[in-house]
Amino acid sequence: MACRLAFSSSLCMSPQQRPTQSYKISPFKASSGSFYLNWGSSLPLRKKRWFTYVRRENVVKAVAIPIAPSSPAEDLPSHAESADYRKQLADSYGFRQIGEQLPENVTLKDIIATLPKKVFEVDDVKAWKSVLISVTSYALGIFMIAKAPWYLLPLAWAWTGTAITGFFVIGHDCAHKSFAKNKLVEDIVGTLAFLPLIYPYEPWRFKHDQHHAKTNMLNEDTAWHPVWEAEIESSSALRKGIIYGYGPFRPWMSIAHWLMWHFDTKKFRPNELKRVQISLACVCAFMAIGWPLIIYKAGFIGWIKFWLMPWLGYHFWMSTFTMVHHTAPHIPFKVSEEWNAAQAQLNGTVHCDYPSWIEILCHDINVHIPHHISPRIPSYNLRAAHQSLKENWGKYMNEATWNWRLMKTIMTVCHVYNKDQNYVPFDELVPEDSYPITFLKKAMPDYA
């Protein structure tokens, strides 16, 4: 027996609330024609024109298939039907693949054991090659900024901002002790790589280690959290700020994260304070010496051209990479009691392909699933590790190619935490203040 259901954000239930049944979906033939499960002028959130027939069938456990039961169980579904449903869901979100849920009894050790030992090997030649790529591409970017006419400056800033994102990836590897064989060299290189970004190396390292240990854990993860409903109910000003921050300004929200997490010494344990203070002193010294030199040589406008605009370009990638890595309607944040490390790292991390020049300048940081399986894998070995994971665990992996639909999904849907749905969009909870979200739905392209 068939029934009609609106395709809405309620498709994004958490694994705990996942129904014990899967469903076959076919287009609903309305009087005005057939409406298919695809992308319309905005994300399909409870719009009456988005209808499908839903026929209930038996259990195949897969990621986020949260359509409410509508009729008695019928015939057992085939694996292909379950895979077909995930493909439809992936298409609607802008993914290439949404993986099956990893079984509960699989551990991170099981996954790591399948990786070849060579992907963990540190190679100083490859490490310093990545430094050479970043330094050369950054120098080229500064040259382009100096020589470009005003109308080409955005291109020069985009290149230079991407190049200094490579500095961050180098420091990132140093923090994970996966860059070079000499650990003192790693700390020195990591500190120097972070200085142009005004990032204190040690404070970031401590908080980033927590992100890896608690990935997508609701209260403990230090990266992107869903918004709490209490936050948007607390005050009108805070609510509007959060809506803009998680909406149109989301590609630069890492600036707020940078300020909130890395400069407050009260956020660190006593045994961490000495290293934190050294890093903060280095950053302050760079600002006290580097910024006046830039202004002396090029003026305040030169400081904007040569430092601020590339820095904003870096934060665009910092924000975008981070939210794409772990944010999607079907990827849940869980309380610690329900959290599973292997599921969080394999199912809860997204592999995303970017244009080749971005991948090269950013040292493959978006080949991100193996990095969460083991942070000890150097960035220059991530592709080999990813290929191994594909061969052994490919059906459980989330994969995408960076596209407008993917960004639109994250920026217009993935907002307020809800245990049953994972996320509830702002415009469902507070439509009167959600103009920035409705604007994005209309303005952002829909194509993947």
Side-chain angles (χ1 to χ4, degrees):
M1 181 176 178
C3 67
R4 285 180 289 177
L5 292 175
F7 181 71
S8 75
S9 61
S10 64
L11 283 177
C12 310
M13 293 178 72
S14 67
Q16 294 84 6
Q17 299 296 320
R18 187 176 294 107
T20 57
Q21 314 207 343
S22 66
Y23 302 87
K24 182 178 180 181
I25 298 191
S26 57
F28 168 62
K29 180 72 173 178
S31 57
S32 58
S34 295
F35 295 86
Y36 294 90
L37 185 63
N38 60 12
W39 198 271
S41 60
S42 64
L43 207 72
L45 299 172
R46 297 188 181 135
K47 301 291 185 181
K48 290 184 179 179
R49 58 198 176 109
W50 295 87
F51 291 103
T52 59
Y53 276 123
V54 178
R55 181 163 61 86
R56 197 171 101 182
E57 299 180 278
N58 266 2
V59 178
V60 171
K61 195 171 185 181
V63 171
I65 306 182
I67 300 178
S70 59
S71 62
E74 297 179 10
D75 298 333
L76 285 168
S78 68
H79 175 73
E81 287 174 324
S82 175
D84 182 64
Y85 181 81
R86 288 197 307 277
K87 180 64 167 66
Q88 290 177 320
L89 201 63
D91 289 344
S92 73
Y93 293 161
F95 278 71
R96 282 202 313 269
Q97 173 179 300
I98 288 177
E100 299 177 35
Q101 180 166 316
L102 190 71
E104 292 278 350
N105 61 344
V106 176
T107 68
L108 272 179
K109 286 185 178 180
D110 295 330
I111 301 172
I112 292 171
T114 67
L115 291 169
K117 291 182 179 180
K118 66 179 181 180
V119 303
F120 297 95
E121 293 175 0
V122 172
D123 186 322
D124 286 338
V125 173
K126 291 180 180 178
W128 289 104
K129 179 182 175 182
S130 66
V131 173
L132 180 63
I133 289 171
S134 287
V135 171
T136 303
S137 59
Y138 176 65
L140 177 59
I142 295 298
F143 176 80
M144 289 191 293
I145 292 172
K147 300 298 182 181
W150 65 267
Y151 53 85
L152 291 180
L153 278 174
L155 294 177
W157 289 330
W159 174 273
T160 311
T162 308
I164 60 173
T165 305
F167 286 173
F168 176 84
V169 178
I170 290 168
H172 171 268
D173 268 20
C174 291
H176 284 300
K177 307 305 176 188
S178 61
F179 174 76
K181 295 175 182 177
N182 187 302
K183 302 311 173 187
L184 177 60
V185 168
E186 284 186 318
D187 286 342
I188 294 172
V189 171
T191 298
L192 293 175
F194 273 24
L195 284 183
L197 311 172
I198 314 299
Y199 254 80
Y201 172 74
E202 294 290 355
W204 177 85
R205 180 172 71 87
F206 291 134
K207 295 305 177 186
H208 187 68
D209 284 347
Q210 185 175 337
H211 163 62
H212 274 271
K214 312 287 185 180
T215 302
N216 283 21
M217 193 180 289
L218 188 58
N219 294 299
E220 292 82 357
D221 195 351
T222 59
W224 287 91
H225 282 108
V227 177
W228 291 102
E229 190 167 349
E231 291 178 299
I232 63 171
E233 292 175 348
S234 60
S235 74
S236 176
L238 179 61
R239 176 167 62 250
K240 290 177 181 178
I242 290 173
I243 289 172
Y244 274 98
Y246 276 73
F249 295 150
R250 198 162 186 168
W252 289 275
M253 271 291 282
S254 58
I255 296 174
H257 188 275
W258 164 72
L259 283 170
M260 292 170 60
W261 281 96
H262 304 113
F263 293 90
D264 184 357
T265 56
K266 294 178 182 178
K267 294 184 183 293
F268 301 93
R269 295 189 291 265
N271 64 322
E272 298 170 340
L273 276 180
K274 184 176 180 180
R275 299 180 75 93
V276 166
Q277 290 166 349
I278 291 172
S279 287
L280 291 175
C282 290
V283 167
C284 290
F286 179 87
M287 289 190 290
I289 299 170
W291 284 1
L293 280 176
I294 296 171
I295 294 171
Y296 175 75
K297 291 290 186 180
F300 184 71
I301 297 300
W303 178 81
I304 294 173
K305 283 176 58 178
F306 289 101
W307 185 82
L308 180 62
M309 296 308 293
W311 185 76
L312 292 175
Y314 152 72
H315 271 288
F316 172 85
W317 289 126
M318 182 69 170
S319 299
T320 299
F321 291 168
T322 305
M323 65 183 174
V324 169
H325 288 161
H326 303 287
T327 310
H330 67 283
I331 295 177
F333 275 74
K334 296 184 181 182
V335 295
S336 57
E337 295 79 11
E338 300 172 355
W339 186 78
N340 177 294
Q343 288 179 353
Q345 309 297 9
L346 190 68
N347 286 143
T349 305
V350 175
H351 169 87
C352 188
D353 291 318
Y354 289 76
S356 296
W357 69 277
I358 296 173
E359 301 275 26
I360 292 169
L361 294 187
C362 297
H363 309 301
D364 290 332
I365 192 58
N366 294 294
V367 185
H368 207 63
I369 297 175
H371 176 64
H372 266 267
I373 297 304
S374 175
R376 302 306 295 267
I377 300 173
S379 59
Y380 42 80
N381 291 337
L382 288 175
R383 289 200 177 273
H386 181 79
Q387 184 57 40
S388 174
L389 290 174
K390 284 275 289 182
E391 292 169 2
N392 293 290
W393 307 94
K395 67 179 180 179
Y396 302 111
M397 294 164 67
N398 292 292
E399 296 187 330
T401 299
W402 194 50
N403 64 82
W404 280 109
R405 187 178 300 173
L406 176 68
M407 294 296 290
K408 188 171 184 177
T409 300
I410 295 170
M411 295 171 70
T412 64
V413 175
C414 299
H415 298 145
V416 181
Y417 172 73
N418 181 279
K419 183 176 176 62
D420 296 332
Q421 298 175 215
N422 293 342
Y423 292 98
V424 178
F426 290 132
D427 55 340
E428 288 192 14
L429 289 177
V430 284
E432 68 279 5
D433 288 327
S434 296
Y435 169 76
I437 306 305
T438 56
F439 171 78
L440 288 177
K441 287 182 176 181
K442 294 176 182 177
M444 292 183 74
D446 291 333
Y447 53 83

